Amino acid sequence: MPMVHYIPASLENVTHVAAYVVDEENEEEMKGIVDSANAWCKRKMTAEGMAKDMMLQLEKYEAAFNDYMYANNMHNGFMSTLIPADVVEDLVEY
């Protein structure tokens, strides 16, 4: 969540954001954001959570890859053998 867990920035405003972050007047706010980000990481960055996220990302990649293969008439279904459905079901709770 922006300004709670991180400071949003872009190439267009990165200098302004960096100046804001290091400004001593914003020190307490920055400490609060760091504390919030650390607490979020401790809650969310578990081995189980990361494994589930990895499997979900692989499923998304598989879908995008299959879409590409079908769109380019290069499909043969070999991706479905890399991550069998029963393995995904055992590892990921939806």
Side-chain angles (χ1 to χ4, degrees):
M1 182 184 288
M3 299 307 289
V4 174
H5 300 119
Y6 66 94
I7 309 297
S10 67
L11 290 177
E12 289 78 26
N13 70 358
V14 70
T15 303
H16 174 74
V17 171
Y20 182 85
V21 168
V22 298
D23 188 330
E24 289 181 10
E25 291 182 17
N26 304 319
E27 185 173 353
E28 289 304 313
E29 180 184 10
M30 295 304 108
K31 286 181 181 180
I33 291 171
V34 168
D35 290 344
S36 293
N38 287 340
W40 182 89
C41 287
K42 286 178 184 175
R43 283 192 319 273
K44 299 293 184 178
M45 303 298 280
T46 64
E48 180 182 356
M50 300 216 20
K52 286 179 181 180
D53 184 60
M54 178 196 67
M55 293 305 296
L56 291 172
Q57 296 306 319
L58 285 172
E59 287 177 337
K60 289 178 185 179
Y61 173 78
E62 178 183 17
F65 182 83
N66 286 336
D67 288 348
Y68 174 83
M69 295 297 279
Y70 280 103
N72 291 286
N73 200 26
M74 300 184 320
H75 58 282
N76 63 10
F78 76 92
M79 280 301 285
S80 62
T81 62
L82 293 180
I83 309 172
D86 60 325
V87 172
V88 173
E89 289 172 8
D90 287 344
L91 296 175
V92 179
E93 295 177 18
Y94 296 95

